[in-house]
Amino acid sequence: MALRSILRFPDPKLRQRSEEVRAFGDDVRQLVADMTETMAAANGAGLAAIQVGVPIRLFIVDGHVT
């Protein structure tokens, strides 16, 4: 797992059109692991793939945030 940089507004990359996830391979599993670690380090409640610079339709949510 690796921490990824989180893009912040007004970064133009955030306006990219995201593509559907067509296959759930090792690359997507690694992305989810990286996003989970990145979100936890940022004390976040959710994170979209585009926010870490990957234009696919994927997001994660931490339902345990209080």
Side-chain angles (χ1 to χ4, degrees):
M1 294 190 302
L3 288 177
R4 295 188 181 221
S5 296
I6 298 175
L7 302 177
R8 306 213 186 268
F9 182 81
D11 192 308
K13 292 177 189 168
L14 294 171
R15 299 229 182 248
Q16 282 182 295
R17 182 173 177 85
S18 295
E19 301 293 326
E20 288 183 32
V21 176
R22 301 210 183 269
F24 292 91
D26 290 338
D27 56 337
V28 173
R29 286 183 187 87
Q30 183 62 53
L31 175 60
V32 169
D34 291 352
M35 288 174 61
T36 301
E37 185 175 355
T38 301
M39 182 180 70
N43 199 27
L47 187 66
I50 193 66
Q51 290 177 281
V52 293
V54 181
I56 62 172
R57 294 179 194 159
L58 173 79
F59 68 94
I60 59 172
V61 176
D62 182 356
H64 294 97
V65 176
T66 57

